[in-house]
Structure formats: C-alpha cells, structure tokens
Amino acid sequence: MMTELLDQTLAYLRMQFSAAEVKTLREYGGEFGAADMAETVYTAPAIFVSVLGSRPIDAGGVRMAGNFARQVRMAAFVVTKDANREKRMRTALALGEKLAMVLRAWKPDGSSVTCTIAPLEHSPSCENLFNHARDAAGQAVWMLDWTQGVEPKLPDAQIIDWLSLQITDNVRRAVPAAAAVTGATLNVSESVQFLTT
C-alpha cells in the first residue's frame, strides 16, 4: 500500500508542476541530508518524495479505520540552487508553499486497484533545512511532511494471501559427479507464484 501511495503521489505532483518549474521530481529512499545531496545527481529545482514510515490508524478523527488501515508519514524535499542565498531561499520557499497547497488540495481518484488512498487530513508542515554544508554548495532545502491514510481494498480474510508468495526451489542438493570432474556449471531456476484465493 505504501508503494502505491508513493507512486500515486509522484504521478499527481508531476501533473501539478511543469518541467520548467520542477526539473527533477522523483522518489528518494529516506532523509535527504547534506551528505546525501553531494552523492545524488539531479537538476534543480527538484522535489524528492519519500516514505518515512507508517502506523496503524486508531479509530476516531480519521477518514478510514479498517483493520489494516495505515497512517503513512510522507516527506518531500524541495531543493533549489543559486549563488545568491536570499534568491535560492525565496525560490525554495515559494515552491514549498505551492507544494503544500497542491498536496492539501489532492483528492485521490480511487484508481488504485490494491488500496484506497485518503486525502490529507491536514496541510503539510514545512521546515527550512538550512545548514552551512548546503549553503556552501549554493543550495536551499525545505522539507514538507504529512500523513495520509491508506487501506487495502481486499476483504480482511484475503489480505494475508495477497501479501504471500510461494517459491519452488529446483536446485539439486548435491553436485553431480560429472559436473565436479568437468567443471560444468549448474543450471538453477526459481519459480515464484503469487497465490490468489
């Protein structure tokens, strides 16, 4: 469900920002620290979207409360570059502000076949991630974080089957004598079957 939420978020955001407005828009696997930025190739302005975690949804005050409903914590890192500190900060601020409004206005269309994705309960929080390493690199970074509910569309009884798989192992347990003598390679195959009920 979280991967589906990430995919839907990226697709939605790409429709909301032109290629000139946001040159790089992609997923990122975790917090976007100064050391990570130095190792990542991208063109600014950029938005990196990440899933930070999830927890079960407690009943009360939320849009969904099924047995397997999750509240997913998401983050987006807005990155701008400019030699002028004030200019890059203002560009990041404006882009982050628009991103917060775009996310708050999002009404997922129900196109996911695996889960229901709820709109945001609250507007994302925004935070300036200024530090001297980023500043020395001529970059400004703003982080937005928010939570969104997701719930599987399958009945509760089918959830475990939906998430399970069966692997058939066809490896010989002993090396044939001929292969050991001639140095022939062994052929190995795996068959993965996703079970449905």
Side-chain angles (χ1 to χ4, degrees):
M1 294 184 301
M2 289 185 283
T3 56
E4 181 65 24
L5 174 57
L6 179 61
D7 291 343
Q8 294 269 342
T9 303
L10 290 166
Y12 170 71
L13 293 180
R14 185 71 279 171
M15 291 186 305
Q16 304 304 311
F17 294 94
S18 70
E21 195 174 18
V22 175
K23 295 184 187 307
T24 304
L25 174 61
R26 68 177 192 242
E27 64 191 68
Y28 189 80
E31 298 276 347
F32 196 62
D36 300 315
M37 293 172 66
E39 301 296 323
T40 306
V41 177
Y42 61 93
T43 304
I47 297 175
F48 295 92
V49 180
S50 186
V51 177
L52 300 181
S54 73
R55 63 179 181 81
I57 292 180
D58 299 323
V62 294
R63 297 175 193 260
M64 50 181 60
N67 288 339
F68 294 99
R70 308 283 302 170
Q71 188 174 45
V72 182
R73 183 169 174 235
M74 304 284 291
F77 300 90
V78 174
V79 183
T80 61
K81 291 183 183 181
D82 197 281
N84 181 286
R85 178 186 289 171
E86 287 72 26
K87 185 175 179 184
R88 68 178 172 257
M89 185 275 297
R90 285 180 169 273
T91 303
L93 178 60
L95 190 56
E97 194 170 42
K98 179 178 177 182
L99 178 57
M101 289 187 282
V102 161
L103 284 166
R104 184 65 175 119
W106 184 24
K107 306 286 187 244
D109 62 8
S111 62
S112 170
V113 296
T114 60
C115 63
T116 299
I117 299 172
L120 280 68
E121 289 283 335
H122 306 284
S123 293
S125 63
C126 303
E127 181 180 351
N128 184 348
L129 297 184
F130 174 88
N131 69 30
H132 293 292
R134 291 185 180 107
D135 189 52
Q139 299 173 337
V141 179
W142 278 74
M143 181 186 83
L144 287 79
D145 77 18
W146 69 96
T147 57
Q148 246 175 303
V150 293
E151 184 175 25
K153 287 184 176 177
L154 296 173
D156 290 357
Q158 292 180 10
I159 297 295
I160 303 305
D161 288 339
W162 173 56
L163 295 174
S164 66
L165 62 101
Q166 177 179 335
I167 298 176
T168 303
D169 190 346
N170 299 317
V171 177
R172 286 186 166 171
R173 298 293 173 216
V175 177
V181 173
T182 63
T185 58
L186 297 175
N187 291 323
V188 177
S189 66
E190 296 287 339
S191 172
V192 178
Q193 305 296 319
F194 291 92
L195 302 176
T196 59
T197 56

mmCIF file of all heavy atoms in Angstrom, residues 2 5 31 50-55 71-75 143 145-148:
data_model
loop_
_atom_site.group_PDB
_atom_site.id
_atom_site.type_symbol
_atom_site.label_atom_id
_atom_site.label_comp_id
_atom_site.label_asym_id
_atom_site.label_seq_id
_atom_site.Cartn_x
_atom_site.Cartn_y
_atom_site.Cartn_z
ATOM 1 N N MET A 2 1.980 1.220 0.738
ATOM 2 C CA MET A 2 2.833 2.402 0.790
ATOM 3 C C MET A 2 3.501 2.674 -0.552
ATOM 4 O O MET A 2 3.669 3.830 -0.935
ATOM 5 C CB MET A 2 3.861 2.259 1.914
ATOM 6 C CG MET A 2 3.247 2.374 3.296
ATOM 7 S SD MET A 2 4.452 2.356 4.642
ATOM 8 C CE MET A 2 4.852 0.618 4.710
ATOM 9 N N LEU A 5 0.938 4.373 -2.663
ATOM 10 C CA LEU A 5 0.809 5.778 -2.268
ATOM 11 C C LEU A 5 1.954 6.600 -2.832
ATOM 12 O O LEU A 5 1.744 7.699 -3.369
ATOM 13 C CB LEU A 5 0.765 5.902 -0.742
ATOM 14 C CG LEU A 5 0.778 7.329 -0.184
ATOM 15 C CD1 LEU A 5 -0.373 8.170 -0.734
ATOM 16 C CD2 LEU A 5 0.759 7.310 1.339
ATOM 17 N N GLU A 31 15.764 10.204 4.501
ATOM 18 C CA GLU A 31 16.013 11.624 4.764
ATOM 19 C C GLU A 31 17.020 12.137 3.737
ATOM 20 O O GLU A 31 17.894 11.414 3.295
ATOM 21 C CB GLU A 31 16.571 11.802 6.179
ATOM 22 C CG GLU A 31 15.638 11.356 7.277
ATOM 23 C CD GLU A 31 14.620 12.417 7.661
ATOM 24 O OE1 GLU A 31 14.782 13.581 7.252
ATOM 25 O OE2 GLU A 31 13.674 12.072 8.362
ATOM 26 N N SER A 50 9.583 10.927 -0.283
ATOM 27 C CA SER A 50 9.988 9.750 0.472
ATOM 28 C C SER A 50 8.872 9.289 1.400
ATOM 29 O O SER A 50 8.043 10.080 1.829
ATOM 30 C CB SER A 50 11.231 10.085 1.303
ATOM 31 O OG SER A 50 11.739 8.944 1.933
ATOM 32 N N VAL A 51 8.884 7.990 1.692
ATOM 33 C CA VAL A 51 8.001 7.427 2.709
ATOM 34 C C VAL A 51 8.855 7.249 3.959
ATOM 35 O O VAL A 51 9.873 6.568 3.917
ATOM 36 C CB VAL A 51 7.422 6.062 2.260
ATOM 37 C CG1 VAL A 51 6.570 5.449 3.357
ATOM 38 C CG2 VAL A 51 6.622 6.214 0.978
ATOM 39 N N LEU A 52 8.438 7.882 5.052
ATOM 40 C CA LEU A 52 9.233 7.831 6.284
ATOM 41 C C LEU A 52 8.776 6.753 7.246
ATOM 42 O O LEU A 52 9.519 6.382 8.156
ATOM 43 C CB LEU A 52 9.199 9.193 6.979
ATOM 44 C CG LEU A 52 9.748 10.362 6.174
ATOM 45 C CD1 LEU A 52 9.677 11.643 6.988
ATOM 46 C CD2 LEU A 52 11.174 10.101 5.710
ATOM 47 N N GLY A 53 7.559 6.252 7.075
ATOM 48 C CA GLY A 53 7.082 5.200 7.964
ATOM 49 C C GLY A 53 5.568 5.157 7.991
ATOM 50 O O GLY A 53 4.896 5.908 7.283
ATOM 51 N N SER A 54 5.037 4.254 8.809
ATOM 52 C CA SER A 54 3.583 4.153 8.933
ATOM 53 C C SER A 54 3.239 3.567 10.284
ATOM 54 O O SER A 54 4.088 2.993 10.969
ATOM 55 C CB SER A 54 2.999 3.290 7.813
ATOM 56 O OG SER A 54 3.297 1.925 8.037
ATOM 57 N N ARG A 55 1.984 3.725 10.655
ATOM 58 C CA ARG A 55 1.477 3.136 11.886
ATOM 59 C C ARG A 55 0.011 2.799 11.675
ATOM 60 O O ARG A 55 -0.635 3.361 10.785
ATOM 61 C CB ARG A 55 1.662 4.068 13.076
ATOM 62 C CG ARG A 55 0.902 5.369 12.996
ATOM 63 C CD ARG A 55 1.147 6.219 14.243
ATOM 64 N NE ARG A 55 0.431 7.455 14.219
ATOM 65 C CZ ARG A 55 -0.848 7.619 14.529
ATOM 66 N NH1 ARG A 55 -1.578 6.573 14.883
ATOM 67 N NH2 ARG A 55 -1.429 8.792 14.479
ATOM 68 N N GLN A 71 -1.667 4.791 8.681
ATOM 69 C CA GLN A 71 -1.390 6.207 8.504
ATOM 70 C C GLN A 71 0.074 6.290 8.110
ATOM 71 O O GLN A 71 0.966 5.894 8.867
ATOM 72 C CB GLN A 71 -1.651 6.976 9.796
ATOM 73 C CG GLN A 71 -1.555 8.467 9.622
ATOM 74 C CD GLN A 71 -1.970 9.200 10.872
ATOM 75 O OE1 GLN A 71 -1.570 8.831 11.980
ATOM 76 N NE2 GLN A 71 -2.771 10.231 10.720
ATOM 77 N N VAL A 72 0.317 6.775 6.891
ATOM 78 C CA VAL A 72 1.661 6.780 6.327
ATOM 79 C C VAL A 72 2.253 8.179 6.450
ATOM 80 O O VAL A 72 1.618 9.167 6.076
ATOM 81 C CB VAL A 72 1.641 6.346 4.845
ATOM 82 C CG1 VAL A 72 3.047 6.314 4.271
ATOM 83 C CG2 VAL A 72 0.977 4.976 4.707
ATOM 84 N N ARG A 73 3.467 8.251 6.975
ATOM 85 C CA ARG A 73 4.170 9.539 7.081
ATOM 86 C C ARG A 73 5.028 9.718 5.836
ATOM 87 O O ARG A 73 5.895 8.903 5.536
ATOM 88 C CB ARG A 73 5.031 9.591 8.337
ATOM 89 C CG ARG A 73 5.700 10.939 8.512
ATOM 90 C CD ARG A 73 6.344 11.094 9.877
ATOM 91 N NE ARG A 73 7.073 12.343 9.899
ATOM 92 C CZ ARG A 73 8.358 12.449 10.209
ATOM 93 N NH1 ARG A 73 9.053 11.386 10.557
ATOM 94 N NH2 ARG A 73 8.955 13.623 10.190
ATOM 95 N N MET A 74 4.748 10.794 5.131
ATOM 96 C CA MET A 74 5.438 11.106 3.877
ATOM 97 C C MET A 74 6.284 12.362 4.059
ATOM 98 O O MET A 74 6.020 13.175 4.956
ATOM 99 C CB MET A 74 4.419 11.351 2.763
ATOM 100 C CG MET A 74 3.442 10.228 2.506
ATOM 101 S SD MET A 74 4.194 8.861 1.617
ATOM 102 C CE MET A 74 4.453 9.609 0.007
ATOM 103 N N ALA A 75 7.270 12.538 3.188
ATOM 104 C CA ALA A 75 8.081 13.761 3.188
ATOM 105 C C ALA A 75 8.431 14.122 1.758
ATOM 106 O O ALA A 75 8.571 13.248 0.895
ATOM 107 C CB ALA A 75 9.355 13.571 4.001
ATOM 108 N N MET A 143 11.816 21.021 3.749
ATOM 109 C CA MET A 143 11.162 19.720 3.882
ATOM 110 C C MET A 143 9.696 19.936 4.240
ATOM 111 O O MET A 143 9.372 20.741 5.098
ATOM 112 C CB MET A 143 11.808 18.877 4.976
ATOM 113 C CG MET A 143 11.151 17.500 5.104
ATOM 114 S SD MET A 143 11.746 16.507 6.490
ATOM 115 C CE MET A 143 10.768 17.163 7.818
ATOM 116 N N ASP A 145 6.374 17.642 5.453
ATOM 117 C CA ASP A 145 5.937 16.299 5.830
ATOM 118 C C ASP A 145 4.456 16.306 6.155
ATOM 119 O O ASP A 145 3.891 17.321 6.541
ATOM 120 C CB ASP A 145 6.820 15.677 6.913
ATOM 121 C CG ASP A 145 6.587 16.188 8.311
ATOM 122 O OD1 ASP A 145 5.549 16.787 8.590
ATOM 123 O OD2 ASP A 145 7.460 15.961 9.161
ATOM 124 N N TRP A 146 3.849 15.146 5.907
ATOM 125 C CA TRP A 146 2.409 14.998 6.081
ATOM 126 C C TRP A 146 2.092 13.524 6.285
ATOM 127 O O TRP A 146 2.951 12.667 6.104
ATOM 128 C CB TRP A 146 1.651 15.554 4.867
ATOM 129 C CG TRP A 146 1.810 14.757 3.605
ATOM 130 C CD1 TRP A 146 0.965 13.794 3.115
ATOM 131 C CD2 TRP A 146 2.890 14.848 2.648
ATOM 132 N NE1 TRP A 146 1.438 13.285 1.926
ATOM 133 C CE2 TRP A 146 2.617 13.913 1.609
ATOM 134 C CE3 TRP A 146 4.045 15.605 2.566
ATOM 135 C CZ2 TRP A 146 3.466 13.735 0.519
ATOM 136 C CZ3 TRP A 146 4.898 15.432 1.478
ATOM 137 C CH2 TRP A 146 4.591 14.505 0.475
ATOM 138 N N THR A 147 0.857 13.272 6.686
ATOM 139 C CA THR A 147 0.399 11.893 6.807
ATOM 140 C C THR A 147 -0.827 11.696 5.923
ATOM 141 O O THR A 147 -1.591 12.628 5.683
ATOM 142 C CB THR A 147 0.045 11.521 8.261
ATOM 143 O OG1 THR A 147 -0.945 12.424 8.739
ATOM 144 C CG2 THR A 147 1.261 11.554 9.153
ATOM 145 N N GLN A 148 -0.941 10.476 5.445
ATOM 146 C CA GLN A 148 -2.063 10.090 4.599
ATOM 147 C C GLN A 148 -2.487 8.683 4.950
ATOM 148 O O GLN A 148 -1.641 7.827 5.197
ATOM 149 C CB GLN A 148 -1.642 10.140 3.124
ATOM 150 C CG GLN A 148 -2.352 11.205 2.338
ATOM 151 C CD GLN A 148 -1.833 11.318 0.925
ATOM 152 O OE1 GLN A 148 -0.651 11.534 0.707
ATOM 153 N NE2 GLN A 148 -2.723 11.185 -0.022
#
